[in-house]
Amino acid sequence: MKILVIGPSWVGDMMMSQSLYRTLKAEHPEAVIDVMAPAWCRPLLSRMPEVNQALAMPLGHGALAIAERRRIGKSLHASHYDRAYVLPNSFKSALVPFFAGIKRRIGWRGEMRYGLLNDVRVLDKAAFPLMVERYVALGYEKNRIVSARDLPQPLLWPQLQVGDQEMLETAGLFALSAERPIIGFCPGAEFGPAKRWPHYHYAALAQQLIVDGYQIMLFGSAKDRDTGEEIIASLDADVRAHCRNLAGETQLEQAVILLATCAAVVTNDSGLMHIAAALNRPLVALYGPSSPDFTPPLSKQAHIIRLITGYHKVRKGDDAQGYHQSLIDIQPSRVLEELHALLRKPQEKACTS
């Protein structure tokens, strides 16, 4: 069986989609799974052993571009896919499998995609409260799974593979010291400071961890660089050498490898949180207005701290720096306590190949 998956366009969603690929391989061991997604996804897809190849989707997140999607679809005719799974809910995401003439095209109804999809599932959000459950449910026949309770347990959570040798080589490339175990911080968030734990809390936690014998690595994209510099500037001068700001210095591929070397990770609700979870890193996830009820970190080694309930659709926080009060109220001492609890437990290694 040859399968084409139209993958999501966000890091966290892409990570959770691996549960579908693992489910499909468990149900159909001989299946060949190709995933079409933005080119930046390749470093993640290449570490999912269930994926045969990543096919680059050259169109931007919001582009309809029907003619180009038709061209892409026609170019896939020769691949003779037996079925397609369309994970995004948009109309445009279903066009490529339709133009490719794939016989069975599966997905949730989304933007009224009757015709484009010919195996259309109507989503009962209450029956499938987690995004990962919605992805996995598509891997089974239409009438077999009517709610998350019908899904075989345990769900096959995401697992990225990282090799021991590439961990050593990448740590060497960035001249990381092997004298202290690493605690990774992921202080950024896609939609700004309202979803971030305050930089001064990160700094207070880093200060204590460095005193305790750890080194701190700050991960993120170039737009998180300034946040990392604020954290370092808030540290006492005599410990700053043990905190390294890698935000904007690493490619996604390198960030994945370096996260795998961490003894533990502290993170906001972000794509890097889901990557750390898939690497089986001990993880403290800090939530404020966004909710873990839909997209929690999928790991038995994850501890979630949240002081409020419900989902709050806010883009601006309460104080002058834009932080949300619910995140301001999470004290570094509480996070340190959760970290100590995780680090005392027998640890699972990151998945290695």
Side-chain angles (χ1 to χ4, degrees):
M1 182 190 299
K2 292 197 68 177
I3 295 172
L4 175 68
V5 177
I6 304 300
S9 298
W10 300 98
V11 172
D13 295 359
M14 177 55 70
M15 287 311 313
M16 286 179 283
S17 75
Q18 190 188 5
S19 288
L20 171 62
Y21 316 149
R22 295 189 67 196
T23 298
L24 289 171
K25 288 294 282 188
E27 290 287 298
H28 311 283
E30 302 305 317
V32 176
I33 302 172
D34 295 342
V35 180
M36 178 169 282
W40 63 260
C41 293
R42 191 177 299 274
L44 301 179
L45 293 168
S46 69
R47 297 183 181 279
M48 300 179 185
E50 306 80 19
V51 175
N52 174 57
Q53 65 174 329
L55 305 176
M57 166 54 78
L59 299 174
H61 183 62
L64 180 57
I66 291 180
E68 179 62 9
R69 291 179 194 272
R70 180 186 291 111
R71 185 197 66 77
I72 295 170
K74 297 292 186 184
S75 73
L76 296 175
H77 272 177
S79 296
H80 301 295
Y81 289 108
D82 299 291
R83 60 175 70 176
Y85 293 86
V86 181
L87 301 191
N89 287 326
S90 63
F91 173 86
K92 60 182 177 290
S93 64
L95 289 170
V96 167
F98 174 77
F99 289 130
I102 298 173
K103 183 176 180 181
R104 189 174 175 196
R105 305 180 299 278
I106 303 160
W108 297 108
R109 180 176 62 183
E111 295 178 346
M112 294 299 292
R113 300 185 292 183
Y114 293 111
L116 293 181
L117 301 178
N118 55 16
D119 183 346
V120 181
R121 318 288 174 87
V122 179
L123 177 62
D124 178 348
K125 293 183 178 180
F128 298 97
L130 297 179
M131 176 179 280
V132 67
E133 294 167 343
R134 298 174 188 182
Y135 285 162
V136 171
L138 293 175
Y140 297 97
E141 294 303 313
K142 189 172 187 177
N143 298 320
R144 178 177 168 184
I145 306 293
V146 298
S147 77
R149 291 189 300 272
D150 301 320
L151 293 171
Q153 298 294 328
L155 294 183
L156 300 174
W157 283 348
Q159 289 186 346
L160 295 181
Q161 293 189 333
V162 177
D164 291 334
Q165 185 61 34
E166 59 184 341
M167 284 194 276
L168 287 172
E169 291 174 356
T170 306
L173 180 65
F174 287 90
L176 302 185
S177 170
E179 295 179 1
R180 290 171 170 245
I182 299 171
I183 304 292
F185 285 4
C186 304
E190 183 64 31
F191 296 113
K195 290 177 65 175
R196 293 180 192 155
W197 200 40
H199 71 276
Y200 47 83
H201 282 347
Y202 271 112
L205 179 62
Q207 179 85 26
Q208 184 59 55
L209 288 169
I210 292 169
V211 170
D212 290 345
Y214 293 93
Q215 60 179 317
I216 307 300
M217 297 295 146
L218 308 176
F219 295 94
S221 66
K223 66 181 180 180
D224 303 317
R225 183 79 187 174
D226 289 346
T227 300
E229 292 303 304
E230 287 181 307
I231 292 170
I232 293 175
S234 300
L235 296 172
D236 291 347
D238 60 342
V239 303
R240 289 177 189 167
H242 299 297
C243 185
R244 175 84 174 272
N245 186 7
L246 294 176
E249 291 188 12
T250 58
Q251 301 296 321
L252 180 58
E253 174 91 359
Q254 295 166 324
V256 171
I257 297 169
L258 293 177
L259 280 168
T261 71
C262 291
V265 176
V266 179
T267 177
N268 304 326
D269 175 17
S270 66
L272 289 176
M273 175 191 74
H274 292 285
I275 290 174
L279 291 167
N280 287 322
R281 295 299 76 218
L283 174 68
V284 180
L286 307 171
Y287 279 80
S290 62
S291 172
D293 294 339
F294 183 43
T295 55
L298 301 175
S299 169
K300 293 179 180 179
Q301 299 201 87
H303 287 194
I304 295 171
I305 302 177
R306 191 179 192 227
L307 303 181
I308 58 175
T309 59
Y311 173 71
H312 305 261
K313 191 174 183 179
V314 297
R315 294 289 177 89
K316 186 177 180 181
D318 303 293
D319 74 346
Q321 294 171 297
Y323 299 126
H324 196 268
Q325 189 61 48
S326 63
L327 284 161
I328 295 172
D329 290 342
I330 299 175
Q331 295 301 307
S333 58
R334 169 72 187 281
V335 180
L336 185 63
E337 180 183 328
E338 297 287 346
L339 262 181
H340 283 162
L342 282 165
L343 290 168
R344 283 195 299 266
K345 292 169 60 177
Q347 300 303 319
E348 300 177 30
K349 273 188 80 176
C351 295
T352 56
S353 59

